[in-house]
Amino acid sequence: MEPLIIEPTAQSTWHRLVTEAADSAGQKLDEACESYLVFLLMRYLQKPEMVKTVLALHFLKGLRKQGRVRQEHMQDVGDQCLIFAGLFPEQAEKRLVSIDYFVKLGRSAYSVVADHASKGWASLYRSLSETFVILADVLHATRSNPGSMLAMVERYARTGSLYAKARVEQEHNVTVIPHRDSFKH
């Protein structure tokens, strides 16, 4: 059993979790994305009501808004999609969608934010959109049980998750070869 290390603040505890998960997932996050994940976890894991959100409707409502309200809606959709894709991928099955639903919707939401954000923020949200699968993999690596081999193969096939591919290959001593139709986005 791993020793439990208590950090002096909640933020430093989440930071340790994210950096260790990134290492476990074989990813090196830039400082902006790493910080974003830390604050995302601090913000959203105290909001159990987010499970009740119909993300596509929230996305569409956000598109009808203007200015800052639009930005907030889209960021909220992107954040929730990232949490579901990374921490709670089983929500896809419960919602009768596949994992790439969260990936595509989250990427789109962050892209809308990037398109309408000020120059400094635009690059962050563009990065979140472009590295969505990597960020979801880092969040997924925080889980003590990443899921069944079938779930990991599906994660790889639908999202291109290199973390899922590596886990399957490592734990089951197999080589995963993508189907020619995989990763069409």
Side-chain angles (χ1 to χ4, degrees):
M1 178 190 262
E2 295 282 327
L4 178 62
I5 299 172
I6 306 296
E7 298 289 340
T9 66
Q11 183 178 342
S12 59
T13 300
W14 287 116
H15 183 262
R16 174 186 283 274
L17 179 71
V18 167
T19 57
E20 288 177 357
D23 287 344
S24 175
Q27 299 296 334
K28 177 71 175 133
L29 301 179
D30 64 32
E31 187 177 338
C33 287
E34 185 178 277
S35 295
Y36 194 88
L37 283 183
V38 169
F39 289 106
L40 174 82
L41 290 168
M42 291 174 65
R43 227 178 21 252
Y44 279 92
L45 293 183
Q46 297 174 16
K47 296 182 177 185
E49 69 275 5
M50 78 176 200
V51 176
K52 297 176 185 173
T53 303
V54 179
L55 293 169
L57 290 177
H58 197 54
F59 181 88
L60 292 173
K61 285 179 185 177
L63 286 177
R64 291 190 301 226
K65 305 292 180 181
Q66 298 296 318
R68 187 71 201 138
V69 175
R70 173 186 267 192
Q71 299 291 86
E72 290 170 0
H73 265 77
M74 293 296 117
Q75 179 186 358
D76 194 44
V77 170
D79 290 351
Q80 288 185 45
C81 286
L82 186 53
I83 286 174
F84 287 137
L87 294 178
F88 308 114
E90 59 279 350
Q91 283 295 315
E93 187 177 323
K94 289 180 182 177
R95 293 172 182 233
L96 303 176
V97 297
S98 62
I99 188 74
D100 59 326
Y101 165 83
F102 294 129
V103 172
K104 290 175 182 175
L105 193 61
R107 279 183 165 160
S108 295
Y110 284 145
S111 184
V112 169
V113 175
D115 290 345
H116 297 90
S118 63
K119 189 176 181 177
W121 289 105
S123 63
L124 170 64
Y125 287 100
R126 183 74 51 222
S127 180
L128 294 174
S129 177
E130 292 168 357
T131 62
F132 193 95
V133 172
I134 291 169
L135 298 171
D137 282 350
V138 169
L139 290 177
H140 197 76
T142 65
R143 295 171 48 125
S144 59
N145 178 7
S148 69
M149 181 172 82
L150 182 59
M152 295 300 275
V153 169
E154 180 179 13
R155 183 180 190 87
Y156 170 62
R158 292 193 175 273
T159 69
S161 167
L162 296 179
Y163 166 70
K165 180 181 185 276
R167 290 292 301 251
V168 169
E169 290 180 343
Q170 191 175 50
E171 291 179 16
H172 300 284
N173 198 26
V174 297
T175 300
V176 179
I177 301 170
H179 185 272
R180 63 179 156 50
D181 294 334
S182 295
F183 320 130
K184 289 186 178 180
H185 299 288

